[in-house]
Amino acid sequence: MRLRRRLTLLGVAVAAAPLILVGCTADSKNDDRQGGKRAAPPELTVTPGDRAKDVPISAEVGTQVAGGRVTGVRITDDKGKEIKAEPREDGSAWVPSTTLQPKRTYTAEVTATGDSGKTTTRKTTFTTRPKSTKPAVTSTLYFADKRTYGTAMPVTVAFDPPIPKEARADVQRRLFVKTNPPQPGAWSWVDDGSQVYYRAPDFWRPGTTISVRSGLEGLPIGKDLVGDDDRRSTSKIGQQVSLEIDNATKQMSVLRDGKVIRKIPVSLGKPSTPTSSGKMVIMEQHQFTTFDTTGSADPYVVDVEDAQRLTWGGEFIHGAPWSEGDQGSTNVSHGCTNVSAAAADWLMNNTKVGDLVTVKGTEVELQNGNGWTAWNVSWGEFVKGSALPVPSGLGPAPSPPAHPGAVAGGSPAPHPSVTGG
């Protein structure tokens, strides 16, 4: 009998013995025979097992069916309140829409319907563990609610401390992304486990709505840590805008929907502090900020306007009226992309967080993880960073899409350190 897995999203497996539930249904003397034999009701396996204790509050109701499909799941707490849940895309479990509570008892009633129309309904009751005393991993979701982002915007989750390799699959199962219209993607971890990115093979299509859930609260992470919180956000993708910066010409090309709409002279990093070459994403936008490198080999403090962060290391695009005489001809910055005050103001009104910025021809290459570097590698390299299997048919379109980007603001919470030059 072919096994069908039914109803899931992306969650951690619950460490409880499965309960195998074989259907009990009233016999029918009507059309319930197949091949001369009476049709059997479906067989159903459910987790957590009945009377399971010490279940994590991140638990899901796992379902596995032979000879049918799950047609109903109802979860209630010990006060009779129904707990909303959503099915996983692979059909393996139902994920509660909110984290379960510690030291509470829950009942899941699961119904499966066989090919003959017969049904099996069983209940499993389990109790969650007390509130964890283990240290929590601090997670940061860099995808805010009710914003409009650029078409290169990766969904990014950062972790402190970083997630070890052996725990990344469990964490990744609790990270959910839905797109409307559908545009499937994949997650990819940076080598040290400090960040994980989600993107599609091609840039997001303008007008796409992206809903994200980072459901990590109470999730066991390795032996010694737990997840910190359950976060949700929904935002949209705006118009295509991208920036291309060429060190050879000292010019920035601004493109909208793939067409150049403006050229801007730039001054990049001087030889001792070169700008990184690679594909970056605008991470933050500040109308006013202060660059403070006190304690570095080249200390300075300077106030700047219209600054847009590109890397965690402190590379920005910003207004630099002090270098306008060098812009278009000589590199004099500490690694930032200097533009005139007027150009910086114009850029702030025509770009947004999530727009792609490509820099080429400088002395150093962008390091993976120094910023949101999801687009700095090919799709084939990107999916190697997933801790879970990626569908083999998922890949870029045959023809490259138009240049990515968007218009007008929106920024996730700023990174605590601000440097630049």
Side-chain angles (χ1 to χ4, degrees), residues 20 45 52 118 125 149 151 167 190 203 246 266 273 275 284 321 331:
I20 301 177
T45 303
K118 288 191 173 186
T125 299
Y149 288 117
T151 57
V190 299
F203 298 110
D246 189 348
V266 301
T273 54
T275 302
E284 300 168 3
N331 290 337

Side-chain angles (χ1 to χ4, degrees), residues 2 44 55 66 83 110 170-171 192 199 202 207 216 219 222 231 251 256 263 268 343 345 349 361 375 388 417 419:
R2 185 166 64 90
L44 180 62
V55 174
I83 307 300
V110 181
D170 285 345
V171 171
D192 67 359
R199 71 169 177 91
D202 300 311
L216 301 177
L219 175 71
R231 299 180 177 89
Q251 296 287 320
R256 181 180 294 150
K263 291 268 193 176
L268 303 178
D345 180 70
N349 289 315
W375 295 100
L388 296 172
S417 62
T419 57

Side-chain angles (χ1 to χ4, degrees), residues 21-237:
L21 306 172
V22 180
C24 64
T25 320
D27 289 338
S28 172
K29 296 183 179 180
N30 297 322
D31 297 331
D32 61 354
R33 293 180 178 272
Q34 297 179 354
K37 297 181 180 180
R38 187 175 301 278
E43 296 181 0
L44 180 62
T45 303
V46 178
T47 57
D50 193 33
R51 300 183 183 180
K53 298 184 182 301
D54 200 36
V55 174
I57 61 173
S58 59
E60 305 171 12
V61 176
T63 58
Q64 188 175 20
V65 185
R69 59 191 179 90
V70 173
T71 52
V73 174
R74 186 173 186 268
I75 306 170
T76 54
D77 64 16
D78 45 20
K79 296 182 179 180
K81 180 182 178 181
E82 186 169 354
I83 307 300
K84 293 182 180 180
E86 301 171 271
R88 281 189 174 273
E89 291 178 353
D90 64 3
S92 62
W94 281 79
V95 182
S97 300
T98 56
T99 308
L100 302 180
Q101 297 299 307
K103 295 185 69 175
R104 298 287 297 275
T105 298
Y106 294 87
T107 298
E109 183 179 283
V110 181
T111 299
T113 302
D115 298 336
S116 65
K118 288 191 173 186
T119 61
T120 296
T121 299
R122 285 292 184 267
K123 292 182 179 181
T124 180
T125 299
F126 59 92
T127 302
T128 54
R129 63 183 52 167
K131 183 176 177 62
S132 177
T133 59
K134 295 180 179 180
V137 172
T138 299
S139 63
T140 303
L141 174 61
Y142 288 102
F143 194 86
D145 195 41
K146 298 179 182 178
R147 303 289 181 89
T148 302
Y149 288 117
T151 57
M153 181 67 180
V155 177
T156 302
V157 185
F159 303 94
D160 184 19
I163 305 299
K165 283 188 176 181
E166 61 272 16
R168 291 177 193 173
D170 285 345
V171 171
Q172 189 173 321
R173 287 190 188 98
R174 294 293 299 182
L175 302 175
F176 311 101
V177 178
K178 292 181 179 179
T179 55
N180 184 25
Q183 194 176 350
W187 290 95
S188 181
W189 294 82
V190 299
D191 291 341
D192 67 359
S194 63
Q195 296 179 90
V196 64
Y197 309 124
Y198 184 94
R199 71 169 177 91
D202 300 311
F203 298 110
W204 300 118
R205 292 187 288 269
T208 299
T209 297
I210 301 176
S211 297
V212 181
R213 180 184 180 189
S214 176
L216 301 177
E217 184 177 3
L219 175 71
I221 300 177
K223 296 181 180 179
D224 303 319
L225 299 169
V226 295
D228 64 339
D229 211 344
D230 195 324
R231 299 180 177 89
R232 289 179 181 267
S233 61
T234 297
S235 285
K236 291 187 176 182
I237 301 301

